[in-house]
PDB file of all heavy atoms in Angstrom:
ATOM      1  N   GLY A1006     -22.706   4.297  -5.976  1.00 98.00           N
ATOM      2  CA  GLY A1006     -22.914   4.975  -7.248  1.00 98.00           C
ATOM      3  C   GLY A1006     -24.277   5.640  -7.213  1.00 98.00           C
ATOM      4  O   GLY A1006     -25.263   5.002  -6.812  1.00 98.00           O
ATOM      5  N   ARG A1007     -24.338   6.872  -7.586  1.00 98.00           N
ATOM      6  CA  ARG A1007     -25.621   7.582  -7.606  1.00 98.00           C
ATOM      7  C   ARG A1007     -26.590   6.805  -8.503  1.00 98.00           C
ATOM      8  O   ARG A1007     -26.222   6.388  -9.610  1.00 98.00           O
ATOM      9  CB  ARG A1007     -25.403   9.013  -8.108  1.00 98.00           C
ATOM     10  CG  ARG A1007     -26.508   9.980  -7.757  1.00 98.00           C
ATOM     11  CD  ARG A1007     -25.942  11.380  -7.589  1.00 98.00           C
ATOM     12  NE  ARG A1007     -25.261  11.836  -8.811  1.00 98.00           N
ATOM     13  CZ  ARG A1007     -25.896  12.238  -9.925  1.00 98.00           C
ATOM     14  NH1 ARG A1007     -27.214  12.227  -9.997  1.00 98.00           N
ATOM     15  NH2 ARG A1007     -25.208  12.658 -10.967  1.00 98.00           N
ATOM     16  N   ALA A1008     -27.822   6.612  -8.005  1.00 96.00           N
ATOM     17  CA  ALA A1008     -28.760   5.676  -8.635  1.00 96.00           C
ATOM     18  C   ALA A1008     -28.872   5.873 -10.146  1.00 96.00           C
ATOM     19  O   ALA A1008     -28.744   4.932 -10.932  1.00 96.00           O
ATOM     20  CB  ALA A1008     -30.134   5.814  -7.983  1.00 96.00           C
ATOM     21  N   GLU A1009     -29.067   7.091 -10.528  1.00 96.00           N
ATOM     22  CA  GLU A1009     -29.301   7.412 -11.934  1.00 96.00           C
ATOM     23  C   GLU A1009     -28.109   6.959 -12.814  1.00 96.00           C
ATOM     24  O   GLU A1009     -28.287   6.473 -13.932  1.00 96.00           O
ATOM     25  CB  GLU A1009     -29.461   8.938 -11.986  1.00 96.00           C
ATOM     26  CG  GLU A1009     -29.757   9.526 -13.292  1.00 96.00           C
ATOM     27  CD  GLU A1009     -29.545  11.048 -13.217  1.00 96.00           C
ATOM     28  OE1 GLU A1009     -29.600  11.614 -12.101  1.00 96.00           O
ATOM     29  OE2 GLU A1009     -29.289  11.628 -14.274  1.00 96.00           O
ATOM     30  N   ILE A1010     -26.921   7.097 -12.254  1.00 97.00           N
ATOM     31  CA  ILE A1010     -25.735   6.727 -13.026  1.00 97.00           C
ATOM     32  C   ILE A1010     -25.522   5.225 -13.007  1.00 97.00           C
ATOM     33  O   ILE A1010     -25.255   4.604 -14.038  1.00 97.00           O
ATOM     34  CB  ILE A1010     -24.504   7.458 -12.465  1.00 97.00           C
ATOM     35  CG1 ILE A1010     -24.712   8.952 -12.660  1.00 97.00           C
ATOM     36  CG2 ILE A1010     -23.231   7.002 -13.164  1.00 97.00           C
ATOM     37  CD1 ILE A1010     -23.837   9.787 -11.805  1.00 97.00           C
ATOM     38  N   LEU A1011     -25.686   4.647 -11.824  1.00 96.00           N
ATOM     39  CA  LEU A1011     -25.497   3.205 -11.701  1.00 96.00           C
ATOM     40  C   LEU A1011     -26.433   2.465 -12.657  1.00 96.00           C
ATOM     41  O   LEU A1011     -26.052   1.487 -13.301  1.00 96.00           O
ATOM     42  CB  LEU A1011     -25.790   2.792 -10.249  1.00 96.00           C
ATOM     43  CG  LEU A1011     -24.905   1.717  -9.621  1.00 96.00           C
ATOM     44  CD1 LEU A1011     -23.431   1.951  -9.875  1.00 96.00           C
ATOM     45  CD2 LEU A1011     -25.179   1.613  -8.132  1.00 96.00           C
ATOM     46  N   ASP A1012     -27.671   2.964 -12.769  1.00 94.00           N
ATOM     47  CA  ASP A1012     -28.648   2.313 -13.645  1.00 94.00           C
ATOM     48  C   ASP A1012     -28.276   2.404 -15.116  1.00 94.00           C
ATOM     49  O   ASP A1012     -28.746   1.614 -15.927  1.00 94.00           O
ATOM     50  CB  ASP A1012     -30.038   2.942 -13.429  1.00 94.00           C
ATOM     51  CG  ASP A1012     -30.701   2.418 -12.170  1.00 94.00           C
ATOM     52  OD1 ASP A1012     -30.347   1.273 -11.772  1.00 94.00           O
ATOM     53  OD2 ASP A1012     -31.522   3.133 -11.570  1.00 94.00           O
ATOM     54  N   SER A1013     -27.440   3.377 -15.460  1.00 95.00           N
ATOM     55  CA  SER A1013     -27.092   3.549 -16.876  1.00 95.00           C
ATOM     56  C   SER A1013     -25.898   2.694 -17.284  1.00 95.00           C
ATOM     57  O   SER A1013     -25.516   2.663 -18.450  1.00 95.00           O
ATOM     58  CB  SER A1013     -26.759   5.022 -17.137  1.00 95.00           C
ATOM     59  OG  SER A1013     -25.513   5.348 -16.538  1.00 95.00           O
ATOM     60  N   ILE A1014     -25.305   2.017 -16.325  1.00 96.00           N
ATOM     61  CA  ILE A1014     -24.075   1.268 -16.616  1.00 96.00           C
ATOM     62  C   ILE A1014     -24.403  -0.192 -16.937  1.00 96.00           C
ATOM     63  O   ILE A1014     -25.173  -0.828 -16.221  1.00 96.00           O
ATOM     64  CB  ILE A1014     -23.111   1.313 -15.410  1.00 96.00           C
ATOM     65  CG1 ILE A1014     -22.832   2.766 -15.013  1.00 96.00           C
ATOM     66  CG2 ILE A1014     -21.802   0.607 -15.737  1.00 96.00           C
ATOM     67  CD1 ILE A1014     -21.966   2.900 -13.777  1.00 96.00           C
ATOM     68  N   PRO A1015     -23.836  -0.704 -18.023  1.00 94.00           N
ATOM     69  CA  PRO A1015     -24.082  -2.106 -18.374  1.00 94.00           C
ATOM     70  C   PRO A1015     -23.383  -3.042 -17.390  1.00 94.00           C
ATOM     71  O   PRO A1015     -22.511  -2.606 -16.643  1.00 94.00           O
ATOM     72  CB  PRO A1015     -23.450  -2.224 -19.772  1.00 94.00           C
ATOM     73  CG  PRO A1015     -22.406  -1.162 -19.824  1.00 94.00           C
ATOM     74  CD  PRO A1015     -22.911  -0.041 -18.971  1.00 94.00           C
ATOM     75  N   PRO A1016     -23.758  -4.322 -17.414  1.00 93.00           N
ATOM     76  CA  PRO A1016     -23.123  -5.278 -16.514  1.00 93.00           C
ATOM     77  C   PRO A1016     -21.610  -5.316 -16.746  1.00 93.00           C
ATOM     78  O   PRO A1016     -21.115  -4.889 -17.779  1.00 93.00           O
ATOM     79  CB  PRO A1016     -23.734  -6.618 -16.905  1.00 93.00           C
ATOM     80  CG  PRO A1016     -24.962  -6.300 -17.642  1.00 93.00           C
ATOM     81  CD  PRO A1016     -24.763  -4.960 -18.270  1.00 93.00           C
ATOM     82  N   TRP A1017     -20.953  -5.849 -15.761  1.00 93.00           N
ATOM     83  CA  TRP A1017     -19.499  -5.906 -15.797  1.00 93.00           C
ATOM     84  C   TRP A1017     -19.083  -7.364 -15.915  1.00 93.00           C
ATOM     85  O   TRP A1017     -18.634  -7.817 -16.951  1.00 93.00           O
ATOM     86  CB  TRP A1017     -18.991  -5.261 -14.505  1.00 93.00           C
ATOM     87  CG  TRP A1017     -17.514  -5.233 -14.350  1.00 93.00           C
ATOM     88  CD1 TRP A1017     -16.602  -5.042 -15.345  1.00 93.00           C
ATOM     89  CD2 TRP A1017     -16.773  -5.369 -13.144  1.00 93.00           C
ATOM     90  NE1 TRP A1017     -15.337  -5.040 -14.814  1.00 93.00           N
ATOM     91  CE2 TRP A1017     -15.409  -5.238 -13.470  1.00 93.00           C
ATOM     92  CE3 TRP A1017     -17.119  -5.570 -11.810  1.00 93.00           C
ATOM     93  CZ2 TRP A1017     -14.393  -5.326 -12.518  1.00 93.00           C
ATOM     94  CZ3 TRP A1017     -16.117  -5.633 -10.867  1.00 93.00           C
ATOM     95  CH2 TRP A1017     -14.765  -5.520 -11.213  1.00 93.00           C
TER      96      TRP A1017
END
Side-chain angles (χ1 to χ4, degrees):
Chain A
R1007 199 149 58 75
E1009 182 194 337
I1010 296 162
L1011 219 46
D1012 282 334
S1013 71
I1014 305 176
W1017 180 36

